[in-house]
Amino acid sequence: MKEVYLDYAATTPLRKEVKEEMEKYFSEIFANPVSLHSFGQKALKAVDGSREKIKEILKAESYREIIFTASSTEANNYALKGLIFYFYFKKGYKKSHIITSSIEHPSILDTLADLEDLEIIEVTYLKPKEDGLIEPEEVISQIKENTILVTLHYINSELGNREPVEKIGELLEKINKERKEKVFYHLDAAQAGLTENLNVQDLKCDLMTLSSHKIYGPKGIACLYIKSGTPLLRLISGSGHEFDLRGGTEAVPLIVGFAKAMELAFNEREKNVKHFKEIRDYFLQRLKEENVSFEVNTNLEHSSPKILNLYFPQKLSQETFLYLDFNKIYVSPGTACKSRSPEPSYMVAEVFRSKERAKRSLRFSFGLETTKEDIDYVVYVLKNFLI
Ligand SMILES: Cc1ncc(COP(=O)(O)O)c(C=O)c1O
C-alpha cells in the first residue's frame, strides 16, 4: 500500500543537505562555543556563521538581533512574556493592552491567557473577516493609550491564509510616529519560511518567530528576531548566552542545520511556491473531476499554497481522518490537543463562525517531495469513502 504524508505543516523531514552540514558538529567539532580555547572558537565560528546567514536572509541590521531558542513555542513565549514583563516589572505598567487574533497558534493564545490570569495584561482578540483574514484597519482601530503590542501570525497554521502583514506593519509605523510609547509588532512566522518573504524591513516588525523543523531543518531549534531597541526581559538566566538574553549552551549542530535549511528555503522560494501551487491546484482539480463533494476553507488568493483546508459535508473529519490513516494517508483533522485526541479546528470554526463546519474539515499540507501520483492516490481513497 502506498504511504502519503500530507502533514508537512506539522513538521517536515530533515533534508539531506541539512543533515550533511550538521554531521561534523556532533562528534568532530563538539566543543562548547563559549570555551576560550581554539577548539571552542571553531564551534563559535559555526554559530556566528549561522547567525550571520539568518541575519542576511531577514535583512536584519545586526546578527545580534537573532536569538536561538529551542522551539517556535519558546520564541513566541519569549517575544510576549519578554516584552510584557519588561513593561510590567521595569516600567511599572500594571495593565498593558495587547492586540491579537482569535486564530493564533496555542503558543500565542495560551501564553496570553496565562498572563491574563495573572491580571497583568488585557487582550483584544480580533476575529477574522469573511475572507478569513485579519483586517488591518481593525487592528489599528483597537489601539489604546496602553497598547504595547500587536502579535499576529503570518501564515495561519490550519487554513494556510496569509495575513496582510506588510500593510499592518505600515499602518503601525505611521501610528507610532504620533505616539509617545511605541506599539511593538510581533509576527509569528513559524509557517512562513518555505513560501514567504522574511525581509524584516519590508514587514516592518520588531519581533519575528521562525521555525526550523517546518522548513526541513532539525527539531529542537528555532529563533526569534528582536529588532535592536526592543526591550525584552530575559526569561532564562545563565552565563550570558544569546547576548545575555537566553542562558544555556548553544546547540551547535542544530543551529548549523537550521541556518542551512533557511538558506535552502530562501534560495528555492520561487521554486517551492510553484511546486506547492501545482500540487494544490491539481488536488482541487482531481477532486472536482471525481465529483467529490467539498468546499475550500482556505482563502486561495491569499494563502501559502503549502496548506489546503477542505470541508467535506458528508462526514465528520475524525471519520475521514481515520479512514485516510487506515489507508496510510497522514493529514490533520484539526488542532492537535494535549490528550492527543483530535479536536475540531477552532480556527476553521472562527473563520466560518461554525463549529459544525470545523467538525467536517481537514488540513492537507504538502511537501517538496509530494507528487501528483500521491495526490491521485489520496483522491482515489477520498472518493471511495465520501461518495
Ligand atoms: C503558526 C505557528 N506558531 C508556532 C508554532 C509552534 O511551533 P513548535 O511546536 O515547533 O514550537 C506552530 C506549530 O505548528 C505554528 O504553526
Side-chain angles (χ1 to χ4, degrees), residues 3 10 12 17 22 52 79 82 84-85 107 172 190 195 200 208 214 216 236-237 254 289 303 318 354 356 376:
E3 196 166 27
T12 56
E17 301 91 316
M22 290 168 69
E52 188 64 31
I84 290 163
F85 288 172
S107 54
L172 279 173
T195 57
V200 292
M208 183 164 75
K214 297 195 193 285
Y216 291 83
I236 301 176
S237 308
L254 304 184
E289 281 169 4
S303 58
Q318 293 192 15
S354 163
E356 280 311 304
D376 285 336

Side-chain angles (χ1 to χ4, degrees), residues 142-318:
Q142 296 300 320
I143 293 177
K144 306 197 284 188
E145 206 179 319
N146 61 337
T147 307
I148 58 162
L149 175 69
V150 169
T151 174
L152 291 170
H153 59 282
Y154 195 152
I155 299 297
N156 185 274
S157 53
E158 285 174 24
L159 290 107
N161 292 347
R162 183 194 194 282
E163 299 300 344
V165 287
E166 294 92 343
K167 182 75 193 164
I168 295 166
E170 216 174 273
L171 294 176
L172 279 173
E173 192 177 59
K174 226 184 257 172
I175 287 276
N176 277 330
K177 286 198 179 118
E178 295 151 21
R179 282 176 65 94
K180 200 163 92 219
E181 201 74 81
K182 181 174 179 172
V183 178
F184 292 91
Y185 183 29
H186 169 243
L187 280 179
D188 176 1
Q191 290 288 356
L194 287 176
T195 57
E196 308 307 316
N197 175 18
L198 299 177
N199 180 327
V200 292
Q201 310 304 329
D202 295 343
L203 297 165
K204 300 188 192 308
C205 58
D206 302 292
L207 297 151
M208 183 164 75
T209 295
L210 293 169
S211 169
S212 161
H213 74 91
K214 297 195 193 285
I215 62 163
Y216 291 83
K219 294 170 182 59
I221 189 79
C223 79
L224 179 66
Y225 158 75
I226 308 170
K227 190 184 168 85
S228 56
T230 307
L232 289 202
L233 215 61
R234 172 173 67 220
L235 302 185
I236 301 176
S237 308
S239 330
H241 301 94
E242 300 301 303
F243 315 112
D244 227 10
L245 268 175
R246 179 185 182 266
T249 298
E250 293 92 341
V252 184
L254 304 184
I255 290 173
V256 167
F258 178 22
K260 180 68 183 174
M262 284 286 287
E263 182 182 66
L264 290 168
F266 179 73
N267 291 337
E268 298 174 9
R269 186 152 66 94
E270 269 177 41
K271 197 177 88 185
N272 292 345
V273 169
K274 189 166 169 284
H275 166 75
F276 289 134
K277 263 200 182 124
E278 231 173 82
I279 294 291
R280 182 191 71 180
D281 294 347
Y282 183 71
F283 190 18
L284 292 170
Q285 175 205 323
R286 291 288 300 117
L287 285 170
K288 281 180 202 152
E289 281 169 4
E290 296 297 336
N291 292 318
V292 176
S293 149
F294 73 99
E295 285 175 34
V296 179
N297 290 332
T298 303
N299 179 332
L300 295 176
E301 297 291 304
H302 301 282
S303 58
S304 166
K306 69 171 195 171
I307 298 176
L308 181 64
N309 199 301
L310 299 177
Y311 166 51
F312 298 105
Q314 317 86 309
K315 297 269 189 213
L316 289 172
S317 52
Q318 293 192 15

Side-chain angles (χ1 to χ4, degrees), residues 115-134:
L115 299 176
E116 277 181 301
D117 270 359
L118 293 173
E119 299 187 349
I120 67 170
I121 53 167
E122 48 171 336
V123 185
T124 298
Y125 296 93
L126 301 170
K127 284 193 177 289
K129 298 281 141 202
E130 249 170 45
D131 60 3
L133 303 176
I134 301 301

Side-chain angles (χ1 to χ4, degrees), residues 13-29 46 50 53 216-218 252-261 263-264:
L14 192 69
R15 242 173 103 157
K16 184 168 86 6
E17 301 91 316
V18 173
K19 194 170 172 215
E20 280 167 10
E21 192 95 353
M22 290 168 69
E23 246 148 31
K24 71 171 180 232
Y25 295 97
F26 283 105
S27 36
E28 207 179 306
I29 305 176
S50 301
K53 241 185 221 175
Y216 291 83
V252 184
L254 304 184
I255 290 173
V256 167
F258 178 22
K260 180 68 183 174
E263 182 182 66
L264 290 168

